[in-house]
Amino acid sequence: MEQQSPQQSDAEKRRVIIRTVGLKKSYIMKGVVTEALRGVEVEIVTGEFISVMGPSGSGKSTFFNMIGALDSPTVGRVFIDEVDVAQLTAEELAYLRCHKIGYIFQSYNLIKYMTALENVTTPMAFGGVMPDEARERGMELLDIVGLKDRWHHRPIEMSGGQQQRVAIARSLANQPSVLLCDEPTANLDLKTGQEILEILQRLNQEKGVTIICATHDHRMLDICDRLMWIRDGMIERIARREDVHIEVGTIGGESN
């Protein structure tokens, strides 16, 4: 049998991990219908780093809720590893959210009375990890984000950047294959924001984690594979990083 080349093996590994088909989401408030998503279709493969950009109210958060299995579409389907999320039971959905996807939020969402280590290991308890293993894994994750020596500190004793590092470590608690990041650098100064971006880049390049990041931070151009623009609930365009150029006040590039 002919041996596969390394290039072929790598190509096979880059399978579609998230796919949306005709994705629509509508909300009704006081009799008024708001269309948050209007027919979004996209494919994301394993190991990609995707930056999702768009103005406030464009549908980015709704899109994240859909692909993160946190909400259900009004019309259309979401496939994660080619599994139709709509067909999963409540228990299967809980397992998916716990093991397949990690979430990083703009406001950190740490539990205030818990130490950094306790915040990181809490998802492991839901994932069925034994306490000793959880503690060991939690310390390893804090080491990855540079906070191993502050494992016993609570959020109030940490800076915003340190809290976001803990949030990143927590998102990796159950070894997810996908990280969804909602404006992870928005509340940070430039230096700290750059450090967070470097951590995400290492996770993507060294661990192979697929990262989808909603952001207004143009520094994402340096590390992402593709950029996706959402406007008025639709994909306006998708471009590879190398096809994008920066102009004063704008980001330009060819549609892909």
Side-chain angles (χ1 to χ4, degrees), residues 113-123 151 154:
Y113 61 84
M114 287 187 173
T115 65
L117 181 60
E118 289 168 339
N119 267 284
V120 172
T121 56
T122 293
W151 66 269
R154 290 176 171 78

Side-chain angles (χ1 to χ4, degrees), residues 35-104:
E35 295 183 347
L37 293 178
R38 300 191 289 161
V40 171
E41 303 213 1
V42 68
E43 289 187 351
I44 297 170
V45 302
T46 55
E48 274 199 294
F49 195 127
I50 304 289
S51 292
V52 182
M53 294 187 169
S56 299
S58 61
K60 296 194 306 296
S61 295
T62 304
F63 175 68
F64 263 49
N65 288 341
M66 298 297 112
I67 64 174
L70 298 175
D71 199 358
S72 301
T74 305
V75 177
R77 293 186 291 176
V78 176
F79 295 87
I80 299 178
D81 265 346
E82 289 305 323
V83 173
D84 186 348
V85 173
Q87 303 302 314
L88 299 179
T89 65
E91 288 185 356
E92 290 169 335
L93 267 176
Y95 182 89
L96 177 78
R97 296 182 188 120
C98 185
H99 294 274
K100 182 68 68 173
I101 302 171
Y103 306 89
I104 302 173

